[in-house]
Amino acid sequence: QVQLVESGGGSVQAGGSLRLSCATSGYIYLMGWFRQTPGKEREGVAAIFLGSGLTMYTDSVKGRFTISQDNAKNTLYLQMTSLKPEDTALYYCAATQSVYGARWNVPSRYNYWGQGTQVTVSS
């Protein structure tokens, strides 16, 4: 059984930075960060394959966001820099124990989700 708890959200001005954290438990194969705004579908932001360290990013955050893991603390991070107003969303941590499945940025690939943490970027 896997449990996820996100933290680190907040309000920041455009160009600023935030670091999101996701505390985990249990065995996990793949973890990702998703975000959602009212009236829109949940969007895959970044993901990391824990065994290999391979990372994936959606085009809009490449060069600005970095996903990483701390194995000793069983914690996933999303370092966000050069934030833009369009980054404003509720951010979710997600995990799966399955080796095979849909693409990394498809929500249905993941069967464990955190409660979400709000990120607000003002101009």
Side-chain angles (χ1 to χ4, degrees):
Q1 191 172 16
V2 175
Q3 305 234 313
L4 308 174
V5 180
E6 304 108 326
S7 63
S11 298
V12 66
Q13 296 223 34
S17 301
L18 284 173
R19 188 179 73 166
L20 306 183
S21 300
C22 178
T24 70
S25 64
Y27 171 77
I28 300 171
Y29 174 71
L30 169 67
M31 296 190 69
W33 288 99
F34 286 74
R35 62 189 181 188
Q36 188 166 30
T37 56
K40 300 194 70 175
E41 295 182 359
R42 193 163 295 189
E43 175 191 26
V45 177
I48 184 168
F49 293 83
L50 300 192
S52 65
L54 179 67
T55 58
M56 302 289 184
Y57 298 93
T58 190
D59 287 343
S60 65
V61 308
K62 287 181 179 177
R64 299 190 298 120
F65 291 11
T66 302
I67 188 170
S68 62
Q69 61 182 109
D70 185 325
N71 292 329
K73 297 180 179 179
N74 292 319
T75 301
L76 179 74
Y77 299 101
L78 184 67
Q79 180 66 50
M80 305 184 293
T81 62
S82 301
L83 283 162
K84 305 174 180 180
E86 51 262 45
D87 294 318
T88 295
L90 187 64
Y91 283 71
Y92 295 91
C93 177
T96 181
Q97 297 175 314
S98 297
V99 174
Y100 301 102
R103 292 172 179 170
W104 68 270
N105 60 346
V106 178
S108 63
R109 173 73 189 270
Y110 303 83
N111 57 337
Y112 297 100
W113 294 85
Q115 80 285 355
T117 185
Q118 179 67 38
V119 171
T120 301
V121 184
S122 62
S123 59

